[in-house]
């Protein structure tokens, strides 16, 4: 049914989730189109954004988002944002007649990007002196006679390269859009950094969801869900390496209990590395990942780990590298941008304006027989030469598939794939089919296909002949405006296509094509089994007793690991009567 | 040296005296921050974050949570405050002050060579005696509305200005009385607290009914209905996914249309049943009326004048977020205070009167305690006196002088004497 908007509520739990989320929302914001004359885009922004009204009568368009983070993590960002502020919110309106002592924290410095955004908000000019109209955040403007100057177009025009790499401390340092006052919730019980009161263990996170934290979550859920007409579900971004994994487990349980019929897609994110890590902390990270995975998988429609790290264990393989990207894996600012870009493509199917597949359908197709954990792969960007065509680009990959792991799950070498969803986004204006020259033999069956969708479908099926497959092709690309980091190879042109001659200066890449795959296969089972084995082989009471002191009973822990083992077992390929032999056969 | 350094080379290690000094200094640090909060004449704290978020509070617990406490002992004390808040709902500032003072007094004796364990024994003995005194001194009485108003007013006046406190006092007491069921513990969840942006806070009111925070779903809905029946149902009127894994495969647009129509028909049938019920029932008279109110994004539905309200709503109005939060926190504490009063069935005189009485009793009791633990008892007694001292100080009077006056009066009259904060004269 077109015209029907199936809304999604997004939840961000944790700081790295905030990084991925901020890049994600910046990407969404960059694609918003305020011009009423242009045809509506392929993706429906109302799925993720909500229209609102301030007390002053101003229309706003903000993400339908609830974000949890710890005390001290906001720095320059006001908890309630400034979009809905009124003069009443100043320090002068008070209801106390006695003495007041003011403790004012000195404001942390805003980086140049945030300062420019502030200037735009106040209608000030940015560098260039010749633009006239003041920017607005109003989506429906009267009269399309002159181009609407928006924050995006201004930033694009100014084309400032904000080198934020060394300056970004927290996710609000590069957040481009305004959030709704009810979006951010700060958890005061734990500190964002420092020596004490850190949220490090699964048990701590679990214990958080009660009292005021639970009340806040329920209030905000209620607020955002109530105004939806056709809520399709929730996308949850949750840090799995720290104590937020426990909070995520309880939050997804709450969502499942209260909104059982909806889709709950949980993406467990983890950075490649943490600052000041230590062997004990690595151990904690691994335990949190394991427990978070099994519990959140239980309560969600599907659970997908997302990380550029080589593995979830203590001595992971080197981080994933992409042939056309050069990024610093230790910088959260960089790694989260790649994940956000991939996520923008992976989630396309339930955000389409026409013929969208609701979340639960996507999940149902991939999680048959209780195989709730899926893994993701991505080709960021998708390698395609300028003026080439899709069949050529795919053929150029030869036998290997062009994507790399995004879930710390190595590529399936041999073994069964139970189902997958493949999406290609961003080849707007490019040739999706091969121009057939009469009289010459087409180089491959791909070149005979009639549509881009068919090309892609054929290509994937040639690698996975008997796997159920869903394919999506979206032409409009993800738009990369500041402050998306410029991590692209210099041979890419501004549309993210490979140039035939290397240019003298590396152009600013403003959009890229991305190919992603969300898969359920035997490889997932191997990932889970390894994780479970590493965790079970530890004698926690001797090595890290403090992990258990945070409210998690040893018996519960053992049971969770047992559940993880059974979950891993479900991925065994028993078809054809032969059991795949693997080392897990001989454990315990 | 310390094994902990093997695990974390950056760990700071202190032993014996130094460790004790570190702990005591943490407690005193907290005490210094919070002492100016105590009592109705205490200073309100306005916290402005680096980004400009404003929080206005006098509640010790709230303050401790907003601060980024890195010191482990201070963190522990903050947790005590949280526990206090969970159990009683108020008194966190007093709690932190007493802890600080207990440690300070103990320090005096320790520096003379007394072993901490002996002081702890003294504290235990003093605690037992103090509880005995409490039992003797408390006034058990019928918790009538008048008494409850006094209890609530005491609590509220320490959190918001006097006029607003008086307005809220009645609302709070009436709220608790309205939901109180005989012979059952009071369930404060039955008092809903709603916030509404409004020009002034003086319109805060108690609604005998419900205020729901969502409004009309359709512009044609009636904005006001009187004598309404209200249907509460747990049946969904929305399109939902199936319980069982199922899929729908179609080969043509027609088949898809059929699915859409079938889904719609299912829901329509449900709706028709509801309409039929309505027609049957609403022929007669009903109770209550419903009003829908909308302001910006915030929509409210009032359901008032219910026959037998088992739950009520306190509608808090204020011009901005920090005022709303301040009032909400105060109301919560007030509700807890009233509930505690009703459930305990007794009250005691405030304004530091109890502390003076206990201190005196402890000093008299001291000789009965064996050995050097007596010193612990003395320390405890002196520590409790911090409360009347700080109350006096916050009102601008000399704490020593006021204390001496109080103690003299108490000895002479034998009655509980507290600090009268407006005049400095004892009551």
């Amino acid at each position: 049914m077109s015209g029907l908007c199936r809304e999604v509520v997004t939840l961000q739990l944790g700081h790295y989730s905030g990084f991925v989320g901020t890049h994600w929302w910046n990407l969404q914001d960059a694609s918003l189109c305020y011009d009423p004359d242009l045809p509506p885009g392929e993706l429906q922004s109302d799925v993720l954004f909500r229209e609102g009204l301030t007390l002053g009568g101003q229309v706003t368009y903000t993400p339908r988002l609830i974000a949890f983070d710890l005390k001290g993590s906001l720095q320059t960002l006001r908890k309630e944002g400034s979009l809905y502020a009124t003069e009443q919110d100043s320090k002068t309106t008070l209801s106390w007649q006695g003495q007041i002592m003011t403790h004012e924290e000195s404001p942390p410095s805003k980086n140049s990007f945030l300062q420019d955004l502030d200037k735009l908000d106040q209608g000030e000019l940015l560098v260039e002196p010749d633009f006239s109209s003041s920017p607005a955040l109003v989506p429906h403007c009267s009269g399309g006679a002159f181009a609407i100057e928006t924050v995006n177009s201004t930033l694009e025009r100014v084309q400032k390269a904000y080198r934020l790499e060394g300056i970004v401390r927290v996710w609000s340092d590069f957040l481009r859009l305004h959030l709704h006052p009810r979006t951010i919730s700060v958890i005061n019980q734990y500190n964002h950094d420092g020596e004490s009161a850190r949220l490090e263990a699964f048990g701590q996170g679990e214990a958080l969801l009660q009292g005021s934290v639970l009340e806040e979550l329920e209030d905000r859920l209620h607020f955002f869900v109530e105004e939806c007409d056709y809520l399709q579900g929730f996308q949850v971004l949750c840090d799995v390496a720290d104590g937020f994994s426990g909070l995520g487990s309880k939050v997804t349980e709450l969502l499942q209990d209260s909104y059982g019929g909806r889709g709950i897609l949980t993406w467990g994110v983890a950075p490649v590395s943490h600052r000041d890590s230590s062997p004990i902390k690595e151990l904690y990270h691994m335990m949190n990942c394991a427990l978070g995975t099994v519990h959140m998988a239980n309560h969600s429609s599907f659970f997908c780990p997302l990380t550029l790290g080589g593995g979830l264990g203590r001595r992971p393989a080197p981080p994933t590298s992409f042939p056309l990207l050069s990024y610093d894996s230790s910088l959260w600012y960089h790694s989260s941008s790649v994940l956000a870009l991939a996520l923008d493509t992976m989630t396309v199917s339930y955000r389409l304006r026409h013929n969208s597949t609701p979340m639960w359908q996507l999940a149902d197709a991939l999680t048959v027989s209780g195989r709730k954990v899926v893994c993701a792969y991505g080709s960021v960007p998708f390698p395609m030469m300028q003026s080439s065509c899709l069949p050529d680009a795919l053929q150029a990959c030869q036998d290997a598939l062009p994507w790399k792991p995004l879930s710390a799950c190595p590529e399936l070498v041999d073994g069964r794939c139970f189902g997958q969803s493949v999406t290609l986004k961003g080849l707007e204006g490019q040739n999706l089919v091969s121009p057939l020259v009469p009289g010459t033999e087409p180089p491959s069956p791909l070149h005979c296909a009639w549509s881009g969708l068919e090309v892609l479908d054929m290509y994937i099926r040639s690698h996975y002949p008997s796997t159920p497959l869903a394919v999506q092709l979206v032409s409009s690309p993800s738009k990369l405006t500041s402050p998306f980091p410029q991590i692209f190879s210099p041979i890419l042109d501004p549309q993210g296509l490979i140039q035939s001659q290397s240019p003298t200066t590396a152009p600013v890449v403003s959009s890229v094509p991305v190919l992603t795959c969300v898969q359920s296969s035997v490889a997932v089972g191997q990932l889970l089994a390894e994780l479970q084995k590493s965790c079970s082989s530890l004698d926690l009471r001797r090595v890290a007793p403090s992990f258990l002191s945070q409210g998690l009973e040893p018996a519960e822990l053992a049971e969770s690991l047992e559940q993880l083992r059974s979950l891993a077992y479900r991925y065994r390929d028993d078809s054809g009567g032969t059991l795949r032999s693997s080392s897990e056969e001989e454990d315990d | 040296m310390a094994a902990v350094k093997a695990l974390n080379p950056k760990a700071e290690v202190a032993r014996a005296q130094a460790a004790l000094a570190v702990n005591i200094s943490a407690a005193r640090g907290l005490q210094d921050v919070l002492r100016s909060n105590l009592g109705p004449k205490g200073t309100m704290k306005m916290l402005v974050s680096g980004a400009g978020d404003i929080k206005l509070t006098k509640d010790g617990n709230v303050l401790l949570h907003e601060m980024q406490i890195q010191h482990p002992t201070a963190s522990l004390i903050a947790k005590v405050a949280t526990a206090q808040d969970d159990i009683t709902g108020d008194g966190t500032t007093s709690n932190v002050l007493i802890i600080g003072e207990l440690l300070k007094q103990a320090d005096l004796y320790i520096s003379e060579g007394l072993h901490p364990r002996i002081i702890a024994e003294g504290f235990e003995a003093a605690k037992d005696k103090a509880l005995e005194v409490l039992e003797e001194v408390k006034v058990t009485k019928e918790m009538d509305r008048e008494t409850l108003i006094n209890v609530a007013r005491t609590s509220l006046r320490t959190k918001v200005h006097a006029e607003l406190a008086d307005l809220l006092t009645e609302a709070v007491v009436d709220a608790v009385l309205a939901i109180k069921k005989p012979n059952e513990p009071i369930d404060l969840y039955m008092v809903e607290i709603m916030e509404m942006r409004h020009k002034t806070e003086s319109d805060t009111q108690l609604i005998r009914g419900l205020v729901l925070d969502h409004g009309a779903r359709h512009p044609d809905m009636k904005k006001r209905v009187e004598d309404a029946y209200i249907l509460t149902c747990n049946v969904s009127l929305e399109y939902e996914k199936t319980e069982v894994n199922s899929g729908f495969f179609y080969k043509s647009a027609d088949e898809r249309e059929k699915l859409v129509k079938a889904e719609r028909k299912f829901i329509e049938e449900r709706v028709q049943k509801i309409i039929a019920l309505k027609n049957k029932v609403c022929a007669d008279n009903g109770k209550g009326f419903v009003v829908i109110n909308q302001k910006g994004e915030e929509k409210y539905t009032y359901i008032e004048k219910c026959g037998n309200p088992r739950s009520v709503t306190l509608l808090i109005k204020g011009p901005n977020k920090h005022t709303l939060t301040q009032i909400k926190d105060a109301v919560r504490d007030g509700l807890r205070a009233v509930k505690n009063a009703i459930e305990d069935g007794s009250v005691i005189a405030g304004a530091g009167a109890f502390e003076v009485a206990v201190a005196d009793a402890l000093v008299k009791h001291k000789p009965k305690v064996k050995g050097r633990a007596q010193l612990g008892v003395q320390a405890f007694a002196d520590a409790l006196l911090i409360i009347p001292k700080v109350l006096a100080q916050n009102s601008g009077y000399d704490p020593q002088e006021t204390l001496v006056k109080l103690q003299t009066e108490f000895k002479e009259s034998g009655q509980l004497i507290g600090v009268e904060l407006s005049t400095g004269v004892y009551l």
Side-chain angles (χ1 to χ4, degrees), chain B residues 130 133 352-366 377-378 380-386 388 403 407 410-411:
Chain B
V133 173
F354 172 67
E355 284 78 11
V356 170
V358 170
D360 189 74
L362 282 175
V363 168
K364 290 198 184 100
H365 176 71
K366 224 174 48 166
V377 175
Q378 180 67 45
F380 194 95
D382 290 334
L384 285 182
L385 290 175
I386 184 82
L403 189 61
Q407 286 176 316
F410 178 70
K411 282 202 175 62

Side-chain angles (χ1 to χ4, degrees), chain A residues 23-33 49 150 152-153 156 176-177 477-482 510:
Chain A
H23 277 303
W24 158 272
W25 292 111
N26 286 349
L27 284 171
Q28 305 313 313
D29 187 53
S31 303
L32 288 180
C33 174
F49 283 80
T150 60
N152 298 340
S153 55
E156 228 177 297
R176 197 149 84 202
L177 33 63
S478 302
K479 294 215 181 74
L480 314 171
T481 45
S482 310
S510 60

